Amino acid sequence: MGRTIRILWIMAAPTSYALIATDLDGTLLRADDTLSDRSRTALARATAAGARHLVVTGRPAPRVRPLLDDLGAGGLAVCGQGAQLYDAGADRLLWSVTLERDLAETALGKIEAEVGQVYAAVDQDGVDGLTLIEPGYLMPHPTLPAVRVPRRDDLWAAPISKVLLRHPSLSDDELASAARGAVGSLATVTMSGPGTVELQPCGITKATGLALAADYLGLTSSETIAFGDMPNDIPMFDWAARGVAMANAHPELKAVADEVTLSNEDDGIAVVLERLFGRGADWSASASVPGPVSASMPASTSTQTRVGRQ
């Protein structure tokens, strides 16, 4: 007889997490900038249970808008490493902070005095802001649009939310370390991905924007679970009740995470959300068996749990 398919919902114990904060690149998205069906379903089930999903990303608002449209997310998003609180439904910034030109130029000068020439790019502020890159700068993420300008002075044509840096020979870790030592309190230095060392307004981190967004939503840090993959996610993990690093995460983030899940390519976020909010599973019977049969779920998931914040 034919194969029989039965859909069962695997229920999870009630969870106290009302806010799910996810990074995008290397975390929620796969390498090709897509969201898997499994991750999409897990997020939908969590939101149907009453949780709110909040994107918290280093990308500026204009580079996030198409992804939010694909996610069907019309609410808030934290963009620009926490420098922008974006209302996707209204396509406007509820809050933003810019990096002053004088501070940016001074910081760049101090960094170059320490490590030699660097190549720079900037993200302009605003919902229609451009990413401008100077000669020699190579975009680390080829799918993101950018405009090449002829001179560094042209980077400052409009207010900016951050500066992106690349060095011809130093590793990201080496450049980030040298930049922190050189700029001091002029700016916040973050590393948000391969080839992505950034200067932001001093004191601005993902935690800044996440806390502001949570306040808008009437939620608190004790109700928040956060997912990330790079050192720029550390402040977000410190703020949230629980921080979950991807298997592909930077060692610095894994060291402070409460849990390490599977990689972004292996639906690591979905694995955790299914554990917290339940999941749908396909159960099938062999053609030789007269009717549907049920199988037990695996006794454990493929996540590594660490002792976390209480």
Side-chain angles (χ1 to χ4, degrees):
M1 61 183 295
R3 181 184 177 92
T4 302
I5 303 293
R6 184 167 59 179
I7 305 297
L8 298 179
W9 284 111
I10 309 303
M11 302 303 293
T15 175
S16 60
Y17 298 121
L19 182 58
I20 302 164
T22 67
D23 174 46
L24 287 178
D25 299 295
T27 302
L28 181 62
L29 300 179
R30 296 179 290 195
D32 61 359
D33 264 8
T34 61
L35 181 67
S36 73
D37 289 340
R38 183 179 180 184
S39 293
R40 192 184 301 272
T41 298
L43 283 169
R45 182 155 178 79
T47 55
R52 302 291 294 266
H53 174 218
L54 181 71
V55 167
V56 185
T57 178
R59 296 192 187 196
R63 306 291 88 81
V64 174
R65 186 165 48 216
L67 296 170
L68 295 177
D69 289 342
D70 181 58
L71 285 169
L76 302 181
V78 176
C79 305
Q81 304 292 8
Q84 300 173 327
L85 182 57
Y86 176 56
D87 182 342
D91 191 27
R92 67 188 181 101
L93 293 177
L94 300 180
W95 178 85
S96 69
V97 59
T98 59
L99 179 60
E100 295 180 14
R101 172 178 178 169
D102 289 348
L103 291 178
E105 289 189 303
T106 300
L108 277 174
K110 287 180 175 291
I111 293 169
E112 290 188 317
E114 185 71 24
V115 302
Q117 183 179 16
V118 298
Y119 300 109
V122 300
D123 283 336
Q124 293 179 331
D125 192 37
V127 296
D128 296 315
L130 301 173
T131 297
L132 305 181
I133 60 178
E134 71 173 351
Y137 186 91
L138 298 177
M139 287 292 289
H141 204 304
T143 66
L144 296 180
V147 176
R148 190 171 297 279
V149 296
R151 300 176 306 276
R152 179 172 289 183
D153 281 351
D154 297 322
L155 297 177
W156 325 116
I160 63 169
S161 59
K162 64 181 179 180
V163 177
L164 301 90
L165 305 175
R166 302 201 72 169
H167 192 276
S169 61
L170 293 180
S171 70
D172 296 333
D173 289 289
E174 291 169 335
L175 178 57
S177 177
R180 289 190 187 100
V183 305
S185 61
L186 289 174
T188 296
V189 178
T190 61
M191 181 169 54
S192 60
T196 313
V197 175
E198 303 176 354
L199 305 179
Q200 302 152 222
C202 186
I204 297 297
T205 68
K206 282 190 174 184
T208 310
L210 176 54
L212 187 61
D215 187 58
Y216 265 86
L217 297 172
L219 300 171
T220 65
S221 61
S222 64
E223 302 170 282
T224 303
I225 183 170
F227 296 84
D229 73 309
M230 290 300 289
N232 64 321
D233 295 314
I234 291 175
M236 180 167 69
F237 278 26
D238 288 341
W239 185 86
R242 188 167 187 82
V244 182
M246 315 307 289
N248 51 287
H250 191 282
E252 289 182 17
L253 187 68
K254 287 183 178 180
V256 301
D258 299 309
E259 179 177 344
V260 177
T261 185
L262 300 182
S263 74
N264 61 316
E265 298 292 339
D266 295 320
D267 298 314
I269 288 180
V271 168
V272 176
L273 294 184
E274 287 165 358
R275 188 184 73 220
L276 295 173
F277 296 94
R279 62 167 291 179
D282 288 353
W283 300 98
S284 62
S286 167
S288 62
V289 178
V293 298
S294 297
S296 61
M297 287 290 290
S300 63
T301 66
S302 299
T303 60
Q304 305 170 27
T305 302
R306 298 168 183 255
V307 176
R309 294 173 288 277
Q310 301 298 315

